[in-house]
Amino acid sequence: MKIQRTINAIIGATQDRRNITRDSKRKLDGIELRCFKTMESISGPSVHNPVKVVKSWYKAYNENIKRLKLIEDLNKPFKKPSLIRQIFHRQTNK
């Protein structure tokens, strides 16, 4: 599961940085502007210096890892079968 989480975080960080670079050139308003400002505050503004690009990407990667861990923790209780489901399964599959 950790490999899949890492791959998803890499993809998410790359998409976040691509969106920041693309949206920095566009005129935004409303929800798009708030989303852009939030992403920019997390991983930094659009930059073209290779060292700063890598640092910004790494910040976005760490934020995506945190988000994916939170989602896994929220979904953990639903992985176990409920008591009602276990009783029903025992009654019907004899």
Side-chain angles (χ1 to χ4, degrees):
M1 193 63 171
K2 291 180 182 180
I3 294 172
Q4 188 65 37
R5 182 190 318 149
T6 303
I7 291 170
N8 288 339
I10 289 170
I11 292 169
T14 305
Q15 288 177 342
D16 287 350
R17 293 307 303 165
R18 187 194 74 205
N19 290 339
I20 288 174
T21 302
R22 182 192 66 200
D23 291 343
S24 66
K25 300 171 188 172
R26 294 176 40 201
K27 183 178 181 181
L28 303 173
D29 58 337
I31 295 174
E32 290 178 337
L33 181 63
R34 284 194 299 176
C35 181
F36 171 73
K37 291 292 183 186
T38 303
M39 284 194 311
E40 189 178 47
S41 69
I42 291 170
S43 65
S46 174
V47 292
H48 300 291
N49 181 347
V51 174
K52 290 182 180 179
V53 168
V54 172
K55 286 181 180 180
S56 296
W57 182 88
Y58 189 68
K59 288 179 187 177
Y61 169 78
N62 285 334
E63 190 63 31
N64 275 291
I65 287 286
K66 287 179 192 175
R67 183 181 58 82
L68 291 171
K69 285 181 181 178
L70 175 69
I71 291 171
E72 287 176 7
D73 290 342
L74 290 173
N75 286 332
K76 197 175 286 185
F78 300 108
K79 298 279 184 185
K80 287 177 38 181
S82 68
L83 181 62
I84 295 171
R85 182 173 178 256
Q86 289 175 349
I87 293 171
F88 180 75
H89 184 69
R90 287 181 188 151
Q91 294 295 324
T92 58
N93 292 331
K94 287 190 175 187

